Amino acid sequence: MAVRRLADPAVQPKSFTFTVENLDWAKGEIAKYPEGRQSSAIIALLWRAQEQAGGWLPQKAIEHAADLLGMPKIRALEVATFYTMFNLAPVGRAHVQLCGTTPCVLRGADKLIKLCHDRIGEPLEVTSDGKLSWIEVECLGACVNAPVAQINYDYYEDLTPETFSEILDDLAAGKPVKPGPQVARQLSAPSGGPTTLTDPALYSRGNGGKPQGSALHDAEAKKPGEPANVRDAATPKPPADDASAKRRP
Amino acid sequence: MCLVELKGSPKPVASCAWGVRDCRPGPHGEPPEVLTKSAMVRKAREGVMEFLLINHPLDCPICDQGGECDLQDQAMAYGVDSSRFKENKRAVEDKYVGVLVKTIMNRCIHCTRCVRFMTEVAGVPELGAIGRGEDTEITTYLEQAMTSELQGNVVDLCPVGALTSKPYAFAARPWELTKTESIDVMDAIGSAIRVDTRGREVMRILPRVNDEVNEEWISDKTRHVVDGLRTQRLDQPYIRENGRLHAASWRDAFGVIAAKVKQTQPRRMGAIVGDLAAVEEIFALKDLMTRLGVVNLDCRQDGAMLDPTWGRASYLFNASIAGIEQADALLLVGSNPRREAAVLNARIRKRWRTGALPIGLVGERSDLTYPYEYLGAGPQTLADVASGVHEFGARLREADRPLVIVGMAALARPDGVAIAALAARAAQGTGKEAGWNGYSVLHTAAARVGALDLGFVPGPEGRNAAAMAAPGALDLVVLLGADEIDIAPGAFVVYIGTHGDAGAHRADVILPGAAYPEKSGIYVNTEGRVQMAGRASFPPGEAREDWAILRALSDVLGRKLAYDSLTQLRQALFKAHPHLQRVGQLAPAGRAEVAALAARDGAFEKTAFGRSLDDFYLTNPVARASATMAECSVIAERRGALTAAE
């Protein structure tokens, strides 16, 4: 963690406005909150702004979000600087968030960190071709597949310096890469295949049923797809009665 | 630092966040017991202190807060003698937050009092805490200057030396200063202040707590006007000869005035009282003028239509400042309390924050730090509200405690009487609350109410201020600190005042007087509260206290005033106006007088209400002489131009 400041004015775009599509989405997001509490939508809006701006938050995007919510700009800046997943400066097309917490380091994340230093440069420094940037982050919650890195929206697990280096090369070259475990392993199941529940008979349904295979196969373990946060959340319930009503004349 | 021991609790609890009802009773139902000085409490506080000091620099010897620092005091009480922290201390870049507040951000302990003050009390959410954890930093958005008129208060709030006063930086130490309790005259609120002097120089002005008036805040003008007390001062009498002012002795100056008075008929003489005068000198001036047979007297430079013969309630802030918190509907008429009385505006905002306060505004639109319903620009809207045609009028009428604040922009115009009557009608409400009187005049001049109490208005067939200033109206005018009025060429002007401002430029004879911290004086604030200001310093050079100048002049004029000391003057004053002895008290509201005012009829014009103050920072001679205020004014103007461009 270090002091987080907005990017240099030289790289800041002159203006920022949500696309029509994003603006509609933002309005829906704002409508989830009761009258007078619209500023609660700030994180959602900043996140969408970051996606639209290419993985980072320009100053104008923060101001745009604040204006949409009718809140002081300093409040939006407080939020943007508080959460480290809001990038305040441009990042590479593939932004690597490498886990550096204990389980990952025990499984060799320190070597990956060194590799990032050598291959990409300093944390949050973008390569000259604009393809890669990296940062060390705290626990990504995938310790069972340590070491793990999150690249844009996908997890890349069970990394070794070799596989990680290959992934970085492929990303830099624009080739497709396979997210998920980088070893022969189905999700976080034991590597080398299941060690329990291996008897197919266990899967037969009823008395005369045919034995079935396991539900998933390694090949279909994880596919690149839409980022998880794009789908809309379940329709929220109307807010319960709160104190906001009596605050207004 | 508020940790206390709760009997039965294994850990100390934070008393600021712990209700008594959450305390557990003893095993046999004994009342809960809280220990504030036990060994456990001491140890816990020492621990907290150690954490607070981890990142706090040990620069007390060069810190402006030294000697009046909360953290220093706490460290004296709970600090351990040495630090166990061997790591590097945090270093934070200093931020620019304006010309009044200097930041040394290494010292910040992240209490966020400043952020909360600006957001909740000042109502201008400009400060924020960016970053997180150890990297939290207090700043304005992209280091823009703060815009609030109350921003100076964050310096008082800051428990450490992170926010200090920029104009006062490295000027003095608190233990070198002599503290005098006094009353502010920058607006008509009469905020309680403490004037700190070193030798005869006023070093700074701080607020005193007075819950009835200013709570614990003062405006930036009140606080930072001090450098205006040092510059542009009149320190000896001047006489104009052949169009140029020459320094003179008191004797010569009085001689010139006496010769002029002798040539002039009383009907061709007049006197105008300015905005900063204390009651004593107004009384002495009125006394002298009456003895000379002069009836052309006025204290209303701006032409406000206020008349003491209509009763005191017709020109007072009857609801009282503390009473704002009881109001259940508010109408602002030609008033911008944020500019005219920033501290009072904070009180309105405090009331608004508690909820359910409809606020309507008739007059010029502006940002008041709280939302309001804009009703209209001029008297026609007010008439609709008063008659109930307008929907907001109905709300006022249904209110038990309606508050109608009438500003000088509404009263200082030819149809001011009709407007005052309309406002008084709007302020009537249901009348269920017997003690409530919601008709409230918000003055902008500290001297105004006192002068009206003394009846410093034109006598029978006397001229008012505007008529006195007109060409050829008078031959001799005495200005008692009146700088906001242009006396037309032709009249001989005697100016008694403190600064080389407009009045002194126009004057033919200048008699140097004492500024407000340099004299003991009575001021009556806008709600009619009599307050006594203490003398903190002495007038510069040959300058004298204003009442003494008038007393000496009266002798030369052969109309000797019957008092030789301030005490004798006050005795005479109290005899003539007994209510002025009731210092700090409020007289009960005169509802009958307001009802009589409401019954007055008159035609009003259609023109919209203007604004009574163009520039918050430059309203009086002291403020106009202050470099700090000039700087603030420039910043405000630039910002105004920017917003207008957007």
Side-chain angles (χ1 to χ4, degrees), chain A residues 226-240:
Chain A
E226 279 287 284
N229 62 328
V230 170
R231 60 126 179 83
D232 275 324
T235 318
K237 282 182 230 153

Side-chain angles (χ1 to χ4, degrees), chain A residues 1-6 59-60 62-63 72-75 77-78 81-84 246-249, chain B residues 93 95 115 119 125-132 135 137 139-142 352-353 355-358:
Chain A
M1 274 289 291
V3 177
R4 287 158 55 79
R5 293 282 155 78
L6 294 182
Q59 178 196 330
K60 293 289 176 195
I62 298 173
E63 292 173 5
K73 296 185 176 73
I74 181 74
R75 293 279 164 276
L77 184 71
E78 281 178 336
T81 54
F82 184 91
Y83 293 103
T84 51
K246 63 180 180 202
R247 290 174 65 89
R248 285 182 308 282
Chain B
E93 289 164 38
K95 308 288 186 297
V115 178
T119 309
E126 289 169 331
L127 279 178
I130 62 163
R132 59 149 99 176
D135 298 311
E137 296 184 349
T139 181
T140 53
Y141 186 66
L142 307 180
W352 168 78
R353 274 170 58 82
L357 178 70

Side-chain angles (χ1 to χ4, degrees), chain B residues 149 186 220-222 224-225 227-228 275-276 339 444 483-484 501 612-637:
Chain B
E149 295 80 11
M186 290 298 123
D220 291 345
K221 191 162 50 172
T222 304
H224 288 295
V225 82
D227 63 333
D275 292 348
L276 306 182
R339 281 177 193 221
T444 51
D483 289 274
E484 285 80 21
D501 204 67
S612 65
L613 301 182
D614 267 333
D615 192 334
F616 166 74
Y617 295 103
L618 302 177
T619 50
N620 60 52
V622 190
R624 283 192 287 267
S626 158
T628 315
M629 289 295 104
E631 219 172 332
C632 290
S633 167
V634 167
I635 288 182
E637 198 174 302

Side-chain angles (χ1 to χ4, degrees), chain B residues 20 56 133 141 172 176 185 211 230 235 238 258 273 320 333 360 393 444 464 480 486 530 546 575 596:
Chain B
V20 171
H56 193 79
Y141 186 66
E176 304 170 332
V185 299
D211 284 335
R230 293 177 209 136
D235 56 356
Y238 287 86
V273 164
S320 85
V333 182
T444 51
N464 66 13
L480 183 61
D486 282 330
V530 180
D546 306 50
K575 207 167 172 189

Side-chain angles (χ1 to χ4, degrees), chain B residues 4 19 36 46 168 197 210 246 290 341 525 532 534 563 640:
Chain B
V4 294
T36 58
E46 279 171 5
Y168 175 71
T197 47
N210 185 351
H246 295 284
T290 315
N525 81 351
M532 201 175 280
Y563 21 82

